[in-house]
């Protein structure tokens, strides 16, 4: 059970709403200790006993911990004074120092969940700017464990880099699944079969990696010296790993520059 009152600005959105639902479902927080806001002041979550407000300062005043779950481009218009409070930002590309300056929070934490919060399967790295009490770090960890796994990182830059890695959630697998299916169709495989095959590889077979080391998995499959070896060798000789590195660097550069 979390004892603090948690306010989520943008708590009706994809990430904010998923966190609210998980906290309630796991009874980590009674609905009466949850405050959420959006611009219209309406959302079905209010019918579950969550306090929904349209005024973000009212949310801040009623909360001990404030989670900012609005899109980065909406941050500038929030105008909140969170003096003496803990602010946790989920926003990509906005530095902890900027958040501290604009909110006057006593502690700022940057966290980077992903879209899998919806199924409680996110990985959420988080970073504390400055000294933060152990009780606060414990609260942050538990908050994000309600929607998956979480880990503290020691450098803010890791949040920007990981925005392009785990922050992208299902994007890389979706790209792979689409490419596999499209290429199979181009090779003459019926579209429904191509989609089933590609989905099986990305969604089902990848679950083996939950309990197997990926490097050992590659080595053992390549050891057959057959079809898989030929396919993977083409990928690696074609610069697959370098391409992944470039993609992550490019995404991280956008996060570092700010959105
Ligand atoms: N989605 C992802 O996969 C992902 C991954 C990593 C990080 N993030 C970060 O998470 C944050 C939220 O993303 P999201 O996908 O959850 O966005 P979203 O679904 O668009 O949710 C944003 C919420 O903010 C509300 N909002 C906008 N302006 C507001 C204001 N001035 N006051 C109060 N509420 C306001 C919106 O509601 P109204 O329009 O009704 O006001 C909406 O419910 C972003 O900063 C993003 O960088 C997202």
């Amino acid at each position: 059970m979390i004892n603090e009152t948690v306010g989520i600005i943008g708590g009706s959105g994809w990430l904010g709403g998923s966190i609210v639902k998980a906290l309630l479902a796991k009874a980590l927080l009674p609905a009466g200790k949850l405050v959420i806001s959006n611009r219209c002041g309406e959302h079905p979550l209010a019918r579950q006993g969550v306090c929904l407000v349209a005024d973000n300062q009212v949310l801040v005043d009623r909360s001990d911990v404030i989670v900012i779950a609005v899109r980065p481009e909406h941050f500038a218009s929030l105008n909140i004074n969170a003096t003496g409070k803990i602010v946790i930002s989920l926003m990509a590309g906005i530095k902890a120092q900027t958040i501290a300056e604009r909110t006057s929070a006593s502690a700022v934490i940057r966290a980077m969940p992903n879209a899998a919060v919806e199924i409680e399967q996110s990985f959420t790295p988080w970073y504390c700017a400055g000294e933060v009490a152990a009780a606060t770090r414990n609260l942050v960890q538990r908050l994000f464990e309600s929607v998956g796994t979480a880990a503290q990182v020691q450098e803010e830059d890791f949040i920007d880099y990981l925005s392009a890695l785990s922050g992208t959630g299902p994007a890389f697998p979706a790209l792979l699944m689409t490419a596999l299916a499209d290429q199979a169709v181009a090779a003459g495989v019926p579209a429904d079969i191509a989609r089933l095959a590609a989905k099986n590889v990305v969604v089902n077979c990848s679950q083996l990696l939950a309990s197997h080391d990926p490097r050992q998995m590659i080595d053992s499959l390549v050891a057959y010296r057959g079809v898989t070896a030929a396919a993977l060798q083409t990928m690696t000789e074609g610069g697959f790993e370098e391409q992944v590195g470039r993609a992550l660097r490019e995404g991280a550069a956008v996060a570092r520059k700010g959105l």
Side-chain angles (χ1 to χ4, degrees), residues 42-49 52:
E42 287 173 15
H43 195 267
L45 277 170
R47 290 200 284 276
Q48 294 184 39
L52 174 58

Side-chain angles (χ1 to χ4, degrees), residues 9-10 12-16 37-40 56 69-72 74 77-78 90-92 112-115 167:
I9 300 179
S12 58
W14 190 348
L15 261 55
S37 70
N38 63 13
R39 285 169 294 190
C40 64
N56 291 316
V70 301
R71 296 188 184 192
H74 294 143
S77 65
L78 291 189
L90 310 187
M91 298 177 292
M112 191 47 56
N114 62 40

Side-chain angles (χ1 to χ4, degrees), residues 55-74:
D55 183 331
N56 291 316
Q57 191 58 48
V58 169
L59 176 147
V60 170
D61 294 343
R62 288 186 189 174
S63 309
D64 305 304
V65 178
I66 296 109
V67 179
I68 302 181
V70 301
R71 296 188 184 192
E73 61 268 30
H74 294 143

Side-chain angles (χ1 to χ4, degrees), residues 141-201:
Q141 180 70 14
R142 289 168 67 210
L143 195 69
F144 292 112
E145 279 180 351
S146 74
V147 284
T149 55
Q152 182 177 8
V153 297
Q154 298 302 332
E155 290 183 31
E156 183 168 11
D157 189 59
F158 294 161
I159 295 294
D160 292 326
Y161 189 85
L162 292 169
S163 301
L165 201 166
S166 49
T168 59
F172 284 116
L175 189 67
L176 176 61
M177 196 163 134
T178 307
L180 290 170
D182 287 352
Q183 288 301 312
V185 170
V189 178
D192 56 339
I193 301 296
R195 279 196 295 273
L196 280 173
K199 185 173 182 179
N200 176 260
V201 166

Side-chain angles (χ1 to χ4, degrees), residues 160 248-258:
D160 292 326
L248 294 176
R249 281 196 299 279
E250 206 56 45
V254 171
R256 286 183 188 120
K257 185 159 63 70

